[in-house]
mmCIF file with all atom_site columns, all heavy atoms in Angstrom:
data_model
loop_
_atom_site.group_PDB
_atom_site.id
_atom_site.type_symbol
_atom_site.label_atom_id
_atom_site.label_alt_id
_atom_site.label_comp_id
_atom_site.label_asym_id
_atom_site.label_entity_id
_atom_site.label_seq_id
_atom_site.pdbx_PDB_ins_code
_atom_site.Cartn_x
_atom_site.Cartn_y
_atom_site.Cartn_z
_atom_site.occupancy
_atom_site.B_iso_or_equiv
_atom_site.pdbx_formal_charge
_atom_site.auth_seq_id
_atom_site.auth_comp_id
_atom_site.auth_asym_id
_atom_site.auth_atom_id
_atom_site.pdbx_PDB_model_num
ATOM 1   N N   . THR R 1 145 ? 85.370 107.421 79.257 1.00 98.00 ? 145 THR R N   1
ATOM 2   C CA  . THR R 1 145 ? 85.068 108.826 79.005 1.00 98.00 ? 145 THR R CA  1
ATOM 3   C C   . THR R 1 145 ? 85.435 109.153 77.561 1.00 98.00 ? 145 THR R C   1
ATOM 4   O O   . THR R 1 145 ? 86.419 108.636 77.034 1.00 98.00 ? 145 THR R O   1
ATOM 5   C CB  . THR R 1 145 ? 85.838 109.777 79.950 1.00 98.00 ? 145 THR R CB  1
ATOM 6   O OG1 . THR R 1 145 ? 87.249 109.585 79.781 1.00 98.00 ? 145 THR R OG1 1
ATOM 7   C CG2 . THR R 1 145 ? 85.452 109.540 81.403 1.00 98.00 ? 145 THR R CG2 1
ATOM 8   N N   . SER R 1 146 ? 84.640 110.013 76.945 1.00 97.00 ? 146 SER R N   1
ATOM 9   C CA  . SER R 1 146 ? 84.971 110.421 75.581 1.00 97.00 ? 146 SER R CA  1
ATOM 10  C C   . SER R 1 146 ? 85.991 111.551 75.582 1.00 97.00 ? 146 SER R C   1
ATOM 11  O O   . SER R 1 146 ? 86.579 111.855 74.550 1.00 97.00 ? 146 SER R O   1
ATOM 12  C CB  . SER R 1 146 ? 83.714 110.830 74.810 1.00 97.00 ? 146 SER R CB  1
ATOM 13  O OG  . SER R 1 146 ? 83.097 111.930 75.405 1.00 97.00 ? 146 SER R OG  1
ATOM 14  N N   . PHE R 1 147 ? 86.215 112.136 76.728 1.00 97.00 ? 147 PHE R N   1
ATOM 15  C CA  . PHE R 1 147 ? 87.178 113.235 76.859 1.00 97.00 ? 147 PHE R CA  1
ATOM 16  C C   . PHE R 1 147 ? 88.457 112.739 77.528 1.00 97.00 ? 147 PHE R C   1
ATOM 17  O O   . PHE R 1 147 ? 88.524 111.633 78.049 1.00 97.00 ? 147 PHE R O   1
ATOM 18  C CB  . PHE R 1 147 ? 86.575 114.405 77.639 1.00 97.00 ? 147 PHE R CB  1
ATOM 19  C CG  . PHE R 1 147 ? 86.018 114.026 78.979 1.00 97.00 ? 147 PHE R CG  1
ATOM 20  C CD1 . PHE R 1 147 ? 86.797 114.041 80.119 1.00 97.00 ? 147 PHE R CD1 1
ATOM 21  C CD2 . PHE R 1 147 ? 84.682 113.649 79.116 1.00 97.00 ? 147 PHE R CD2 1
ATOM 22  C CE1 . PHE R 1 147 ? 86.283 113.704 81.363 1.00 97.00 ? 147 PHE R CE1 1
ATOM 23  C CE2 . PHE R 1 147 ? 84.146 113.309 80.342 1.00 97.00 ? 147 PHE R CE2 1
ATOM 24  C CZ  . PHE R 1 147 ? 84.953 113.332 81.467 1.00 97.00 ? 147 PHE R CZ  1
ATOM 25  N N   . HIS R 1 148 ? 89.482 113.595 77.498 1.00 96.00 ? 148 HIS R N   1
ATOM 26  C CA  . HIS R 1 148 ? 90.814 113.277 78.017 1.00 96.00 ? 148 HIS R CA  1
ATOM 27  C C   . HIS R 1 148 ? 91.089 114.032 79.326 1.00 96.00 ? 148 HIS R C   1
ATOM 28  O O   . HIS R 1 148 ? 91.638 115.128 79.292 1.00 96.00 ? 148 HIS R O   1
ATOM 29  C CB  . HIS R 1 148 ? 91.887 113.686 77.007 1.00 96.00 ? 148 HIS R CB  1
ATOM 30  C CG  . HIS R 1 148 ? 91.866 112.937 75.731 1.00 96.00 ? 148 HIS R CG  1
ATOM 31  N ND1 . HIS R 1 148 ? 92.620 111.812 75.529 1.00 96.00 ? 148 HIS R ND1 1
ATOM 32  C CD2 . HIS R 1 148 ? 91.175 113.150 74.581 1.00 96.00 ? 148 HIS R CD2 1
ATOM 33  C CE1 . HIS R 1 148 ? 92.403 111.363 74.306 1.00 96.00 ? 148 HIS R CE1 1
ATOM 34  N NE2 . HIS R 1 148 ? 91.526 112.158 73.714 1.00 96.00 ? 148 HIS R NE2 1
ATOM 35  N N   . PRO R 1 149 ? 90.783 113.467 80.490 1.00 94.00 ? 149 PRO R N   1
ATOM 36  C CA  . PRO R 1 149 ? 91.115 114.163 81.730 1.00 94.00 ? 149 PRO R CA  1
ATOM 37  C C   . PRO R 1 149 ? 92.622 114.190 82.011 1.00 94.00 ? 149 PRO R C   1
ATOM 38  O O   . PRO R 1 149 ? 93.094 115.031 82.771 1.00 94.00 ? 149 PRO R O   1
ATOM 39  C CB  . PRO R 1 149 ? 90.357 113.376 82.798 1.00 94.00 ? 149 PRO R CB  1
ATOM 40  C CG  . PRO R 1 149 ? 90.200 112.020 82.223 1.00 94.00 ? 149 PRO R CG  1
ATOM 41  C CD  . PRO R 1 149 ? 90.074 112.222 80.736 1.00 94.00 ? 149 PRO R CD  1
ATOM 42  N N   . GLU R 1 150 ? 93.373 113.305 81.371 1.00 93.00 ? 150 GLU R N   1
ATOM 43  C CA  . GLU R 1 150 ? 94.824 113.262 81.595 1.00 93.00 ? 150 GLU R CA  1
ATOM 44  C C   . GLU R 1 150 ? 95.532 114.487 81.035 1.00 93.00 ? 150 GLU R C   1
ATOM 45  O O   . GLU R 1 150 ? 96.697 114.738 81.371 1.00 93.00 ? 150 GLU R O   1
ATOM 46  C CB  . GLU R 1 150 ? 95.425 111.969 81.016 1.00 93.00 ? 150 GLU R CB  1
ATOM 47  C CG  . GLU R 1 150 ? 95.534 111.930 79.506 1.00 93.00 ? 150 GLU R CG  1
ATOM 48  C CD  . GLU R 1 150 ? 94.268 111.505 78.773 1.00 93.00 ? 150 GLU R CD  1
ATOM 49  O OE1 . GLU R 1 150 ? 93.191 111.388 79.397 1.00 93.00 ? 150 GLU R OE1 1
ATOM 50  O OE2 . GLU R 1 150 ? 94.350 111.307 77.555 1.00 93.00 ? 150 GLU R OE2 1
ATOM 51  N N   . LEU R 1 151 ? 94.860 115.259 80.210 1.00 94.00 ? 151 LEU R N   1
ATOM 52  C CA  . LEU R 1 151 ? 95.465 116.456 79.636 1.00 94.00 ? 151 LEU R CA  1
ATOM 53  C C   . LEU R 1 151 ? 95.242 117.695 80.481 1.00 94.00 ? 151 LEU R C   1
ATOM 54  O O   . LEU R 1 151 ? 95.595 118.797 80.067 1.00 94.00 ? 151 LEU R O   1
ATOM 55  C CB  . LEU R 1 151 ? 94.925 116.681 78.214 1.00 94.00 ? 151 LEU R CB  1
ATOM 56  C CG  . LEU R 1 151 ? 95.266 115.573 77.216 1.00 94.00 ? 151 LEU R CG  1
ATOM 57  C CD1 . LEU R 1 151 ? 94.636 115.872 75.856 1.00 94.00 ? 151 LEU R CD1 1
ATOM 58  C CD2 . LEU R 1 151 ? 96.768 115.385 77.099 1.00 94.00 ? 151 LEU R CD2 1
ATOM 59  N N   . THR R 1 152 ? 94.658 117.514 81.651 1.00 93.00 ? 152 THR R N   1
ATOM 60  C CA  . THR R 1 152 ? 94.432 118.624 82.575 1.00 93.00 ? 152 THR R CA  1
ATOM 61  C C   . THR R 1 152 ? 95.168 118.327 83.879 1.00 93.00 ? 152 THR R C   1
ATOM 62  O O   . THR R 1 152 ? 95.711 117.247 84.055 1.00 93.00 ? 152 THR R O   1
ATOM 63  C CB  . THR R 1 152 ? 92.927 118.792 82.881 1.00 93.00 ? 152 THR R CB  1
ATOM 64  O OG1 . THR R 1 152 ? 92.499 117.711 83.710 1.00 93.00 ? 152 THR R OG1 1
ATOM 65  C CG2 . THR R 1 152 ? 92.091 118.827 81.608 1.00 93.00 ? 152 THR R CG2 1
ATOM 66  N N   . GLY R 1 153 ? 95.167 119.245 84.783 1.00 90.00 ? 153 GLY R N   1
ATOM 67  C CA  . GLY R 1 153 ? 95.770 119.021 86.092 1.00 90.00 ? 153 GLY R CA  1
ATOM 68  C C   . GLY R 1 153 ? 94.812 118.391 87.081 1.00 90.00 ? 153 GLY R C   1
ATOM 69  O O   . GLY R 1 153 ? 95.157 118.194 88.248 1.00 90.00 ? 153 GLY R O   1
ATOM 70  N N   . ASP R 1 154 ? 93.617 118.055 86.649 1.00 94.00 ? 154 ASP R N   1
ATOM 71  C CA  . ASP R 1 154 ? 92.582 117.502 87.516 1.00 94.00 ? 154 ASP R CA  1
ATOM 72  C C   . ASP R 1 154 ? 92.644 115.978 87.464 1.00 94.00 ? 154 ASP R C   1
ATOM 73  O O   . ASP R 1 154 ? 92.438 115.382 86.413 1.00 94.00 ? 154 ASP R O   1
ATOM 74  C CB  . ASP R 1 154 ? 91.214 118.002 87.044 1.00 94.00 ? 154 ASP R CB  1
ATOM 75  C CG  . ASP R 1 154 ? 90.090 117.663 87.997 1.00 94.00 ? 154 ASP R CG  1
ATOM 76  O OD1 . ASP R 1 154 ? 90.232 116.721 88.805 1.00 94.00 ? 154 ASP R OD1 1
ATOM 77  O OD2 . ASP R 1 154 ? 89.052 118.346 87.928 1.00 94.00 ? 154 ASP R OD2 1
ATOM 78  N N   . HIS R 1 155 ? 92.914 115.367 88.602 1.00 95.00 ? 155 HIS R N   1
ATOM 79  C CA  . HIS R 1 155 ? 93.104 113.915 88.662 1.00 95.00 ? 155 HIS R CA  1
ATOM 80  C C   . HIS R 1 155 ? 91.897 113.172 89.230 1.00 95.00 ? 155 HIS R C   1
ATOM 81  O O   . HIS R 1 155 ? 91.993 111.988 89.531 1.00 95.00 ? 155 HIS R O   1
ATOM 82  C CB  . HIS R 1 155 ? 94.349 113.594 89.487 1.00 95.00 ? 155 HIS R CB  1
ATOM 83  C CG  . HIS R 1 155 ? 95.576 114.274 88.978 1.00 95.00 ? 155 HIS R CG  1
ATOM 84  N ND1 . HIS R 1 155 ? 96.184 113.909 87.794 1.00 95.00 ? 155 HIS R ND1 1
ATOM 85  C CD2 . HIS R 1 155 ? 96.280 115.316 89.467 1.00 95.00 ? 155 HIS R CD2 1
ATOM 86  C CE1 . HIS R 1 155 ? 97.222 114.694 87.592 1.00 95.00 ? 155 HIS R CE1 1
ATOM 87  N NE2 . HIS R 1 155 ? 97.302 115.558 88.573 1.00 95.00 ? 155 HIS R NE2 1
ATOM 88  N N   . ARG R 1 156 ? 90.762 113.839 89.362 1.00 97.00 ? 156 ARG R N   1
ATOM 89  C CA  . ARG R 1 156 ? 89.619 113.211 90.030 1.00 97.00 ? 156 ARG R CA  1
ATOM 90  C C   . ARG R 1 156 ? 89.017 112.040 89.252 1.00 97.00 ? 156 ARG R C   1
ATOM 91  O O   . ARG R 1 156 ? 88.573 111.064 89.856 1.00 97.00 ? 156 ARG R O   1
ATOM 92  C CB  . ARG R 1 156 ? 88.551 114.256 90.343 1.00 97.00 ? 156 ARG R CB  1
ATOM 93  C CG  . ARG R 1 156 ? 89.010 115.249 91.415 1.00 97.00 ? 156 ARG R CG  1
ATOM 94  C CD  . ARG R 1 156 ? 87.992 116.325 91.657 1.00 97.00 ? 156 ARG R CD  1
ATOM 95  N NE  . ARG R 1 156 ? 87.881 117.165 90.461 1.00 97.00 ? 156 ARG R NE  1
ATOM 96  C CZ  . ARG R 1 156 ? 86.840 117.927 90.178 1.00 97.00 ? 156 ARG R CZ  1
ATOM 97  N NH1 . ARG R 1 156 ? 85.788 117.961 90.986 1.00 97.00 ? 156 ARG R NH1 1
ATOM 98  N NH2 . ARG R 1 156 ? 86.814 118.665 89.092 1.00 97.00 ? 156 ARG R NH2 1
ATOM 99  N N   . VAL R 1 157 ? 88.997 112.096 87.941 1.00 97.00 ? 157 VAL R N   1
ATOM 100 C CA  . VAL R 1 157 ? 88.473 110.956 87.175 1.00 97.00 ? 157 VAL R CA  1
ATOM 101 C C   . VAL R 1 157 ? 89.395 109.757 87.359 1.00 97.00 ? 157 VAL R C   1
ATOM 102 O O   . VAL R 1 157 ? 88.947 108.629 87.561 1.00 97.00 ? 157 VAL R O   1
ATOM 103 C CB  . VAL R 1 157 ? 88.299 111.302 85.682 1.00 97.00 ? 157 VAL R CB  1
ATOM 104 C CG1 . VAL R 1 157 ? 87.877 110.065 84.882 1.00 97.00 ? 157 VAL R CG1 1
ATOM 105 C CG2 . VAL R 1 157 ? 87.281 112.421 85.502 1.00 97.00 ? 157 VAL R CG2 1
ATOM 106 N N   . HIS R 1 158 ? 90.696 110.003 87.340 1.00 96.00 ? 158 HIS R N   1
ATOM 107 C CA  . HIS R 1 158 ? 91.653 108.917 87.564 1.00 96.00 ? 158 HIS R CA  1
ATOM 108 C C   . HIS R 1 158 ? 91.537 108.382 88.991 1.00 96.00 ? 158 HIS R C   1
ATOM 109 O O   . HIS R 1 158 ? 91.657 107.168 89.216 1.00 96.00 ? 158 HIS R O   1
ATOM 110 C CB  . HIS R 1 158 ? 93.065 109.391 87.269 1.00 96.00 ? 158 HIS R CB  1
ATOM 111 C CG  . HIS R 1 158 ? 93.252 109.717 85.819 1.00 96.00 ? 158 HIS R CG  1
ATOM 112 N ND1 . HIS R 1 158 ? 93.167 111.001 85.341 1.00 96.00 ? 158 HIS R ND1 1
ATOM 113 C CD2 . HIS R 1 158 ? 93.465 108.918 84.756 1.00 96.00 ? 158 HIS R CD2 1
ATOM 114 C CE1 . HIS R 1 158 ? 93.348 110.974 84.036 1.00 96.00 ? 158 HIS R CE1 1
ATOM 115 N NE2 . HIS R 1 158 ? 93.525 109.732 83.647 1.00 96.00 ? 158 HIS R NE2 1
ATOM 116 N N   . ALA R 1 159 ? 91.283 109.263 89.936 1.00 96.00 ? 159 ALA R N   1
ATOM 117 C CA  . ALA R 1 159 ? 91.093 108.820 91.329 1.00 96.00 ? 159 ALA R CA  1
ATOM 118 C C   . ALA R 1 159 ? 89.860 107.920 91.438 1.00 96.00 ? 159 ALA R C   1
ATOM 119 O O   . ALA R 1 159 ? 89.874 106.929 92.191 1.00 96.00 ? 159 ALA R O   1
ATOM 120 C CB  . ALA R 1 159 ? 90.970 110.022 92.259 1.00 96.00 ? 159 ALA R CB  1
ATOM 121 N N   . LEU R 1 160 ? 88.804 108.241 90.694 1.00 97.00 ? 160 LEU R N   1
ATOM 122 C CA  . LEU R 1 160 ? 87.617 107.382 90.662 1.00 97.00 ? 160 LEU R CA  1
ATOM 123 C C   . LEU R 1 160 ? 87.993 105.993 90.160 1.00 97.00 ? 160 LEU R C   1
ATOM 124 O O   . LEU R 1 160 ? 87.585 104.975 90.735 1.00 97.00 ? 160 LEU R O   1
ATOM 125 C CB  . LEU R 1 160 ? 86.537 107.999 89.766 1.00 97.00 ? 160 LEU R CB  1
ATOM 126 C CG  . LEU R 1 160 ? 85.303 107.135 89.496 1.00 97.00 ? 160 LEU R CG  1
ATOM 127 C CD1 . LEU R 1 160 ? 84.538 106.856 90.783 1.00 97.00 ? 160 LEU R CD1 1
ATOM 128 C CD2 . LEU R 1 160 ? 84.406 107.816 88.468 1.00 97.00 ? 160 LEU R CD2 1
ATOM 129 N N   . PHE R 1 161 ? 88.792 105.927 89.107 1.00 97.00 ? 161 PHE R N   1
ATOM 130 C CA  . PHE R 1 161 ? 89.211 104.624 88.586 1.00 97.00 ? 161 PHE R CA  1
ATOM 131 C C   . PHE R 1 161 ? 90.079 103.879 89.604 1.00 97.00 ? 161 PHE R C   1
ATOM 132 O O   . PHE R 1 161 ? 89.917 102.670 89.800 1.00 97.00 ? 161 PHE R O   1
ATOM 133 C CB  . PHE R 1 161 ? 89.946 104.775 87.253 1.00 97.00 ? 161 PHE R CB  1
ATOM 134 C CG  . PHE R 1 161 ? 90.405 103.452 86.696 1.00 97.00 ? 161 PHE R CG  1
ATOM 135 C CD1 . PHE R 1 161 ? 89.479 102.467 86.363 1.00 97.00 ? 161 PHE R CD1 1
ATOM 136 C CD2 . PHE R 1 161 ? 91.745 103.178 86.525 1.00 97.00 ? 161 PHE R CD2 1
ATOM 137 C CE1 . PHE R 1 161 ? 89.893 101.236 85.865 1.00 97.00 ? 161 PHE R CE1 1
ATOM 138 C CE2 . PHE R 1 161 ? 92.172 101.963 86.029 1.00 97.00 ? 161 PHE R CE2 1
ATOM 139 C CZ  . PHE R 1 161 ? 91.244 100.984 85.699 1.00 97.00 ? 161 PHE R CZ  1
ATOM 140 N N   . VAL R 1 162 ? 90.978 104.575 90.261 1.00 96.00 ? 162 VAL R N   1
ATOM 141 C CA  . VAL R 1 162 ? 91.817 103.934 91.282 1.00 96.00 ? 162 VAL R CA  1
ATOM 142 C C   . VAL R 1 162 ? 90.945 103.335 92.385 1.00 96.00 ? 162 VAL R C   1
ATOM 143 O O   . VAL R 1 162 ? 91.189 102.214 92.846 1.00 96.00 ? 162 VAL R O   1
ATOM 144 C CB  . VAL R 1 162 ? 92.851 104.928 91.869 1.00 96.00 ? 162 VAL R CB  1
ATOM 145 C CG1 . VAL R 1 162 ? 93.531 104.365 93.105 1.00 96.00 ? 162 VAL R CG1 1
ATOM 146 C CG2 . VAL R 1 162 ? 93.886 105.283 90.801 1.00 96.00 ? 162 VAL R CG2 1
#
Side-chain angles (χ1 to χ4, degrees):
T145 60
S146 62
F147 54 89
H148 295 267
E150 74 276 9
L151 297 178
T152 72
D154 189 338
H155 304 289
R156 292 176 293 159
V157 175
H158 294 98
L160 173 64
F161 179 62
V162 169

